[in-house]
Amino acid sequence: MDSSPHDHGADGTGGAPPAAHRSEVTLSVNGKPHTLLIDHRRVLLDLLREDLDLTGAKKGCDHGQCGACTVLVDGRRVNSCLQLAVSLDGREVLTVEGLADGDRLHPLQRAFLDRDAFQCGYCTPGQLCSAVGVLAEAAAGHPSHVTGPAAPPGRPVALDAAEIRERLSGNLCRCGAYPHIVEAVRDVAP
Amino acid sequence: MKPFGYLRAATVEEAARALAEHPDARCLGGGTNLVDLMKLGVERPGLLVEVNRLPLDTVEELPDGSLRVGATVRNSDLAAHPLVRDRYPALSQALLAGASGQLRNAATTGGNLLQRTRCPYFQDVSKPCNKRTPGSGCGARVGTHRDHAVLGHSDHCIATHPSDMAVALAALDARVELHGTEGARSVPAAEFHRLPGDHPERDTEIRPGELVTGVVLPAATASLPSAYRKARDRASYAFALASVAAVLNLSDEGTVARVGLAFGALAHRPWRATRAEEALRGGPATPDAFAHAVDLELRAARPLRDNGYKVELARGLALDVLTRLAGPTRT
Ligand SMILES: Cc1cc2nc3c(=O)[nH]c(=O)nc-3n(C[C@H](O)[C@H](O)[C@H](O)COP(=O)(O)OP(=O)(O)OC[C@H]3O[C@@H](n4cnc5c(N)ncnc54)[C@H](O)[C@@H]3O)c2cc1C
Ligand code: SF4
Ligand code: FES
Ligand code: FES
């Protein structure tokens, strides 16, 4: 047997009748803890926008195809339109609203302004959260499709334009602001 | 979306029991395919069994040198794992060629294997589809099928399996580990997915009440050359039109000592090219030999009205990958 014995059961809904369609979930959003009774069908994107009034994350496609809904969960970027809120018990969510430190913009937000990296701005919150994730992934040595085979595993990956384009390919921009987005991320990349 | 119950399974046994007791239950991994299909009304589970908190989130080397990948290891973490990059580059490359950074952060090994076809008729509940609604017909056969199968399809279904990862696992001789109320078993990755035949509603050999607990890669050293190459409509964030995973080891004399070759996006399952492999084994590793072997395999292709291009595309990819593996990376 490849699993621990039946000594679990302290947390979660493990004991609740499966017929129940709602569960209590505790998660933190931009540093603030929330305990909510959540309809199992609620996805994180709708929870943020409809229940918590955080409308930064955008609904572009609702099917994982555009990246406009990108947020960070436990520091990793994900598409919030495909994350069931009930599955995030105990997790920490960071949205575009939580990137700035008071009035001090996140370096990526500053760079997007400096580089004029948007037109309508609809994709921008997703691009920013995705870029935060990209910087962390590259620093942790995560390769991408364009990383050469010679790059040593586990060492930080340098982010040139090709790396940034590939790593941000999950974020579409209908306005075609891509060249400036790549420049903005390059400005901040080490 | 239909209301459903939710179980955060704490042990594999608890998950298997819930799956066995509730025929309309589904495992929830990263949710990147299942939640999408639930929004579309294609999947209508009565119960979700979350597997993410099971102790299946590690990659470990076993005493015999093989590598065990837990079912909930995320695609991004698996692609970045030093041992995977070192010993099974085809697997790392296949994962990184799939989806997007965000999706790979959520997607799990088990969910990737069990993801459903991207056939647009399957995803549209207003269209006929034998896979979604057995007996309703196949919308794609008479309709749009440029992305569909050229090998192993049936009158009932011409869908392809969309996973890049599964193609690499098939070429690498990996095994899929399953656990049900009857106990544990494992099947070769190349035989885990099925051909559609008369039962296109069944994608894989998984039995009711079973879950995937992991994948085991056979022992390999850093010098076993393998590679993955994928052709798609855009440079990134698109499913394969055709893809190839290959493992090739040459003897000291330069003949083929070990070869594994699998095609993606050509069939209802990763297509292990056993005929080509047989033709190559023990023979010369030359472009002519590769072309002969790949043609032998692709002779079985039966393209549809609008997807004949896939045969030529797959041939080109296979020759490129085999030639590169036989070349400078030779040890
Ligand atoms: C826009 C987009 C682009 C994509 N592009 C690609 C691509 O180019 N290449 C590619 O390969 N993939 C691609 N994908 C698909 C993606 O790889 C899959 O959605 C993902 O791998 C599924 O993993 P998951 O953990 O999220 O699965 P889930 O959505 O959680 O589950 C998928 C299925 O597997 C079952 N399941 C999950 N875990 C288990 C388990 N342990 N045992 C038994 N059953 C289980 C579920 O019940 C469900 O039926 C893309 C997806 C999207 C949305
Ligand atoms: S190809 Fe298969 S999945 Fe697509 S419509 Fe036909 S039966 Fe359904
Ligand atoms: S809204 Fe989530 S990816 Fe488009
Ligand atoms: S700035 Fe308009 S979609 Fe990107």
Side-chain angles (χ1 to χ4, degrees):
Chain A
M1 258 0 130
D2 44 5
S3 131
S4 57
H6 295 255
D7 60 356
H8 190 278
D11 81 316
T13 58
H21 298 150
R22 292 190 296 176
S23 296
E24 193 175 272
V25 168
T26 300
L27 75 180
S28 112
V29 180
N30 299 331
K32 214 176 126 197
H34 296 270
T35 297
L36 304 151
L37 187 62
I38 288 177
D39 184 318
H40 294 158
R41 294 171 291 183
R42 205 80 169 140
V43 293
L44 176 60
L45 177 61
D46 293 336
L47 178 87
L48 293 170
R49 294 181 55 87
E50 313 280 332
D51 302 338
L52 302 180
D53 249 351
L54 292 167
T55 54
K58 297 289 183 278
K59 187 179 284 194
C61 66
D62 215 16
H63 290 284
Q65 298 172 1
C66 75
C69 65
T70 304
V71 301
L72 296 133
V73 174
D74 288 351
R76 294 158 66 101
R77 56 185 174 141
V78 295
N79 308 83
S80 62
C81 68
L82 295 180
Q83 291 292 309
L84 291 176
V86 62
S87 73
L88 300 177
D89 190 46
R91 309 279 191 221
E92 284 177 24
V93 179
L94 183 65
T95 72
V96 71
E97 287 92 342
L99 290 186
D101 181 7
D103 285 342
R104 280 221 343 268
L105 292 182
H106 187 283
L108 279 164
Q109 291 174 308
R110 187 74 258 158
F112 267 58
L113 285 170
D114 292 344
R115 289 289 184 175
D116 202 12
F118 47 84
Q119 289 183 39
C120 75
Y122 195 81
C123 71
T124 312
Q127 302 278 5
L128 285 166
C129 288
S130 193
V132 170
V134 166
L135 295 179
E137 289 160 18
H142 278 213
S144 83
H145 177 60
V146 300
T147 308
R155 302 278 296 282
V157 183
L159 292 175
D160 59 14
E163 283 280 0
I164 294 167
R165 272 197 296 270
E166 164 61 26
R167 288 169 188 263
L168 280 177
S169 73
N171 293 84
L172 305 191
C173 174
R174 286 304 295 270
C175 300
Y178 299 116
H180 289 188
I181 294 171
V182 172
E183 284 174 7
V185 178
R186 261 182 104 164
D187 286 348
V188 180
Chain B
M1 209 188 281
K2 193 181 114 186
F4 53 86
Y6 196 83
L7 176 69
R8 227 168 259 141
T11 64
V12 171
E13 291 73 22
E14 184 187 9
R17 220 177 313 119
L19 291 170
E21 281 168 15
H22 302 270
D24 66 345
R26 290 281 182 282
C27 288
L28 176 72
T32 60
N33 185 227
L34 182 58
V35 175
D36 190 4
L37 291 174
M38 286 164 66
K39 288 182 181 187
L40 293 167
V42 173
E43 290 278 11
R44 300 166 52 78
L47 174 69
L48 287 190
V49 179
E50 188 194 316
V51 297
N52 291 319
R53 299 177 198 239
L54 297 177
L56 301 174
D57 61 346
T58 56
V59 178
E60 44 177 337
E61 194 175 359
L62 302 180
D64 67 350
S66 60
L67 199 68
R68 182 168 192 282
V69 179
T72 63
V73 172
R74 309 289 163 165
N75 287 181
S76 50
D77 296 329
L78 184 55
H81 196 283
L83 288 180
V84 174
R85 288 180 70 187
D86 219 39
R87 300 177 187 174
Y88 312 96
L91 177 57
S92 181
Q93 291 165 16
L95 286 160
L96 293 173
S100 67
Q102 290 96 312
L103 289 160
R104 291 191 297 269
N105 275 344
T108 61
T109 311
N112 189 314
L113 278 174
L114 270 296
Q115 64 174 302
R116 311 297 312 267
T117 184
R118 306 302 289 198
C119 173
Y121 299 87
F122 173 76
Q123 297 183 328
D124 181 347
V125 294
S126 73
K127 299 283 191 298
C129 169
N130 288 325
K131 185 183 279 300
R132 178 172 29 77
T133 313
S136 63
C138 171
R141 180 169 280 280
V142 286
T144 306
H145 55 231
R146 167 192 177 263
D147 298 343
H148 287 64
V150 295
L151 284 162
H153 48 76
S154 74
D155 286 346
H156 301 281
C157 180
I158 56 175
T160 59
H161 194 264
S163 168
D164 291 298
M165 179 192 80
V167 182
L169 292 180
L172 288 164
D173 287 317
R175 295 184 73 86
V176 178
E177 295 191 325
L178 300 158
H179 196 109
T181 41
E182 314 274 271
R185 65 183 181 118
S186 83
V187 296
E191 290 162 29
F192 180 63
H193 294 91
R194 301 176 64 253
L195 291 180
D198 294 340
H199 287 286
E201 73 279 9
R202 285 172 46 208
D203 290 353
T204 70
E205 296 295 345
I206 201 165
R207 294 177 192 147
E210 274 183 333
L211 66 152
V212 173
T213 51
V215 161
V216 175
L217 292 148
T221 61
S223 57
L224 181 68
S226 72
Y228 186 75
R229 189 164 173 210
K230 168 178 178 179
R232 39 186 161 171
D233 281 328
R234 54 185 182 193
S236 186
Y237 199 20
F239 287 93
L241 298 170
S243 72
V244 168
V247 186
L248 184 70
N249 219 359
L250 304 186
S251 67
D252 291 341
E253 295 77 46
T255 56
V256 175
R258 176 178 165 189
V259 59
L261 181 67
F263 290 104
L266 299 191
H268 199 256
R269 70 173 181 212
W271 189 269
R272 184 76 191 247
T274 47
R275 256 173 255 176
E277 291 172 8
E278 239 165 74
L280 285 172
R281 231 166 257 132
T286 60
D288 279 351
F290 295 148
H292 171 76
V294 170
D295 288 338
L296 205 62
E297 185 71 42
L298 292 176
R299 230 165 38 201
R302 284 183 294 128
L304 308 157
R305 184 189 66 227
D306 291 331
N307 69 359
Y309 76 96
K310 280 197 170 192
V311 181
E312 197 53 33
L313 187 57
R315 179 180 192 271
L317 292 174
L319 297 189
D320 172 67
V321 168
L322 288 169
T323 310
R324 269 194 293 138
L325 288 176
T329 50
R330 249 192 83 178
T331 50

